[in-house]
Amino acid sequence: MIKFIEAIFQNLSTWGLPVLVLIVGVIEFALGLYKKHWNRNEIILDIVCYTVPKIVVRPFVAYFGLKFLPYALPGLREAFSWIPFWWGFLIIAVFDDLTQYWYHRLHHEIPFLWRFHRTHHSAPYMGMAMASRQNVIYTIFFSQTYLTTTLVYLGLGYPALFVKGIKSLITTAAHSSIPWDKPFYKIKWLNPIAWVLERLISTPATHHAHHAASNDDGIGHYKGNFGNMFFVWDIIFGTGIITRKYPAAYGLKYYQGEEWYAQFLWPILKSKKEGSELSANGPMVSDEVILKELPKEDSDLKESTAPSLNLT
Amino acid sequence: MNIEPAIANRIVKNVLVSLLIYALPIVLMFLSFYLSGERPWKKNSNSAVNSQNEKTIQP
C-alpha cells in the first residue's frame, strides 16, 4: 500500500500534475467556464507560462541542487536524513509554504515588486489555464523552490515528495473554476469540516477572493488571502477574509490586455499600451494612482466608479 | 512609490512572528526526542559506521 501511494506521488511530481492540469483545463474549457474572456492574447500567454518554465526553470533548479549546493554546502548531503518522516513532513510543509506566503505577500505589499506578480492577476477568469500564469522573473526567483531543494539536499527528500504533491493538488484545486468546496458550505453535516478546511488550506472561495477584480462587494479581497497550500498563515497574520462566496469578476480593473510577451517577460520586454504598468513609463501600481487621483472625500466613490476606470 | 508605513510596520511584526513559526516544528521535534528518550541521529551515524565496517571487512 505504501509503495502504491509512493508511486502516485512520484508520478505526480513528474508527469502526473501537468497531465491532471491539462485534463481539468480541457473540462473547464468544454464547460464554458472561461466564458468569452479567453482571447488569442490570453491563450498564448497561458500556454507560454505553462510550457516555458518547465523547459527553462527546471534545469536551473536542477543545476542549483546538483552543482551549486554540493559546492556551497560540502559534506552536508543527507546530513539530516535521520529526521523521522512525519517531523520532516511538518518541517518541509511549514518552511516551504510559509516562505511562499511571504514571497507572495511581499509582491502585493511592496509596490516595486507588484509588476513581477501582476501577470498572475491579470486573467479575467479562474481555472487551470491561468494557474501557472506568471512572469518568468517571478517564477525563476520562487524562493521556496530553492529552500525546499536545499532541504532535499540535506536529507528531507522523501517527505518533500509528499508535501510537494499535496501542496500542488491543493493550490491547483484552489485556482480551479470548479467550486469543489461548495458542498461543504451547503450540506449541514459537512459545515464543521468546512470550518476547519477553510481555515487550514486554500479553497476556491478564499483564493478566488484573492483574484477578485474589486473588493467592494465584500467578497473580493485582492489585498489579502495570500496563502497557497495553508490558509492558516492569513488567519495568524490577519490578512485573510472568509465569506464562502465567489467574486462576480476576476482580474484587474485597470487591465489593458497587455501583450503576452510583455506580461511574460517584463521588464525585459515592455508593453506598448500607453499608461500600462508594464509600459516604459507606466505607473508602478495603477491601483494606487487611481486612489491618489481622487480627492479624500471621494474615497468612498472610488470603488463604485471602478468599473468605469477599466481601460480594456 | 514607497511602501506605506503602516504596511511596513505590519510586515516587520509579522516577519518576527514567522521566525518563531519556522522554529516551532524543529523545537517540537527535539522536545519529543527529549521526552521519549529517542536519539535518531545516533542510530543513523551508528548504522553508517556499521555499513562502513562491513564494506572494509568484505574482500
Side-chain angles (χ1 to χ4, degrees), chain A residues 163-184:
Chain A
V163 173
K164 282 177 0 188
I166 293 167
K167 182 182 173 179
S168 54
L169 288 176
I170 291 171
T171 51
T172 304
H175 281 93
S176 170
S177 56
I178 299 164
W180 63 263
D181 52 339
K182 228 174 193 173
F184 288 92

Side-chain angles (χ1 to χ4, degrees), chain A residues 87 95 99 102 105 109 237, chain B residues 10-11 14 18 22 29 32:
Chain A
W87 286 114
F95 276 52
T99 306
W102 274 110
R105 179 173 159 183
E109 294 191 335
F237 300 123
Chain B
R10 193 171 74 157
I11 288 173
N14 290 173
S18 295
Y22 277 116
M29 179 178 73
S32 81

Side-chain angles (χ1 to χ4, degrees), chain A residues 128-156:
Chain A
M128 291 304 100
M130 53 68 67
S132 333
R133 179 170 163 148
Q134 297 284 7
N135 175 286
V136 74
I137 308 284
Y138 184 91
T139 308
I140 286 172
F141 287 100
F142 240 7
S143 49
Q144 77 284 352
T145 304
Y146 300 98
L147 179 69
T148 303
T149 307
T150 306
L151 292 174
V152 168
Y153 174 78
L154 294 174
L156 297 178

Side-chain angles (χ1 to χ4, degrees), chain A residues 25 42 45 57 64 100 128 169 182 199 206-207 213 217 248 271:
Chain A
E42 306 298 335
L45 176 61
V57 181
F64 176 79
Q100 188 170 354
M128 291 304 100
L169 288 176
K182 228 174 193 173
R199 279 160 184 78
T206 54
H207 201 68
D217 55 1
S271 172

